[in-house]
Amino acid sequence: MPYDALSAVSDDALLVLYANGDAEAARLLTLRLAPRVLRLAARMLGDAAEAEDVAQETMLRLWRIATEWRAGEAQVSTWTYRVASNLCTDRLRRRRPVDLDSVPEVEDDRAGVVEGMIEADRAQALQAALDTLPERQRQAVVLRHLEGLSNPEIAEVMDIGVEAVESLTARGKRALAAALAGRREELGYGDG
Amino acid sequence: MAMADTSDEFDGLDAFFEAGQAEAPALSDALLARIVADAAAVQAAALQAAKPAPVARRRPGLWHTLSAAIGGRGAVAGLLSATLAGLWLGFSPPAQLAPLTRSISQSVLGDTTTLDGLDLIPAIDTVLTEG
């Protein structure tokens, strides 16, 4: 089916088309879903190469279950977020003993370059702060505030209740605020 | 995408979230190609597995060979009908055919020999005495 004709088709329907042999459906699903999975994995893992591996593995699992997918039971995007989250958790658990010593330190000697700070530095500071959060808090904060999911959607991805999501995001944000407190002025967000 | 938080406690976090969104990693062409290649491989394998097993072609039997040589099922049916009709006429000829049969047999055999008395297979001893 031509690319243009598919652009308005739901993820569910695209997956069915893919299972039925449509070649273009996979490309469009990848363009829709893989960037989200990649962003989540990058923020959970703090490693671009590993995030790419997780994105590829998540999509591979989607291709494999395509023929068994039952439309309407779950959203494809929620399913991919959940699979990616689980893959990230597995990787974090495997590398935890190593990472205790390699958590990136927030650089404190940036005085003098405050005016020249670019957005990348701010994003880097955020990532460094995210890396210090417990996994579940990090996951909830990323899904809520960087991926823009609603609390019920996050609850489905994380397989927990909505109240638990609210608790995780609140605690995560508190920890983030504390981690970034010393950086705000330096990064140009201070208001005196 | 980021949800605004009005709490003073989190004042300023939104700015970091906005920066994080702006600096999000993008899907590279290489990763896109790898994922699409995976999709194609899985799709090909699934479609192959879904195909019904090929049915072994049987050699055509004698009946099919004969039927094809005659001209197919229609021709065989016609031939069978004609055969049965001929048998039926032989065993039970319609009364209207009797005068026609008589006139033909008289023209061939003459008035003296009747069709019923005609010996189509002479006795073997007659042949032997002539030899």
Side-chain angles (χ1 to χ4, degrees):
Chain A
M1 198 181 285
Y3 183 90
D4 287 345
L6 290 174
S7 57
V9 176
S10 71
D11 294 346
D12 263 358
L14 278 179
L15 199 55
V16 172
L17 281 173
Y18 165 75
N20 288 337
D22 190 294
E24 197 54 42
R27 174 175 292 271
L28 197 53
L29 269 177
T30 304
L31 288 172
R32 283 186 192 179
L33 301 172
R36 303 181 201 178
V37 172
L38 183 66
R39 288 196 302 265
L40 172 66
R43 283 156 180 159
M44 288 289 292
L45 300 170
D47 183 301
E50 276 199 280
E52 289 207 344
D53 288 347
V54 166
Q56 188 175 1
E57 176 65 23
T58 301
M59 296 306 291
L60 181 59
R61 292 186 182 197
L62 181 65
W63 308 139
R64 284 179 178 156
I65 57 96
T67 53
E68 301 158 26
W69 186 267
R70 280 182 283 185
E73 277 198 4
Q75 284 203 342
V76 180
S77 59
T78 306
W79 185 91
T80 51
Y81 271 132
R82 179 187 283 209
V83 170
S85 297
N86 291 341
L87 289 172
C88 287
T89 302
D90 289 346
R91 283 173 181 260
L92 287 171
R93 287 179 184 163
R94 278 205 300 269
R95 75 185 186 187
R96 180 172 288 150
V98 179
D99 260 18
L100 282 176
D101 294 329
S102 62
V103 171
E105 295 290 334
V106 176
E107 297 173 27
D108 292 329
D109 55 349
R110 303 294 292 272
V113 291
V114 170
E115 294 304 318
M117 279 285 181
I118 55 171
E119 209 160 37
D121 292 323
R122 296 165 184 164
Q124 198 176 3
L126 175 67
Q127 185 62 53
L130 280 172
D131 289 344
T132 65
L133 296 186
E135 287 163 27
R136 302 288 276 175
Q137 288 182 22
R138 192 187 321 169
Q139 186 180 356
V141 168
V142 168
L143 289 172
R144 182 85 176 100
H145 294 282
L146 292 168
E147 289 301 306
L149 268 63
S150 67
N151 282 347
E153 284 174 320
I154 298 169
E156 201 178 332
V157 170
M158 297 183 70
D159 203 16
I160 55 176
V162 174
E163 285 183 7
V165 173
E166 290 168 354
S167 168
L168 280 172
T169 48
R171 280 185 285 148
K173 284 172 73 180
R174 200 169 295 128
L176 269 187
L180 290 168
R183 304 274 296 161
R184 286 175 53 195
E185 195 169 341
E186 179 188 344
L187 294 172
Y189 293 132
D191 48 7
Chain B
M1 280 201 298
M3 299 298 129
D5 201 309
T6 53
S7 161
D8 288 344
E9 186 182 11
F10 304 133
D11 207 23
L13 269 188
D14 286 340
F16 280 96
F17 290 143
E18 282 166 17
Q21 288 167 5
E23 292 295 318
L27 183 67
S28 67
D29 289 343
L31 180 57
L32 172 65
R34 289 209 303 273
I35 293 174
V36 170
D38 282 348
V42 172
Q43 190 180 48
L47 290 175
Q48 184 66 34
K51 272 187 188 170
V55 178
R57 284 179 65 85
R58 290 186 306 177
R59 289 182 59 192
L62 179 62
W63 169 249
H64 281 95
T65 308
L66 286 174
S67 165
I70 292 169
R73 288 185 172 191
V76 171
L79 188 62
L80 194 61
S81 303
T83 306
L84 288 173
L87 273 173
W88 178 255
L89 285 174
F91 277 109
S92 175
Q96 291 85 345
L97 273 181
L100 178 64
T101 309
R102 198 175 304 116
S103 70
I104 292 173
S105 63
Q106 280 176 352
S107 69
V108 174
L109 304 171
D111 292 337
T112 53
T113 309
T114 64
L115 195 59
D116 293 337
L118 180 62
D119 189 4
L120 290 175
I121 306 175
I124 189 76
D125 52 347
T126 312
V127 178
L128 287 175
T129 51
E130 283 181 356

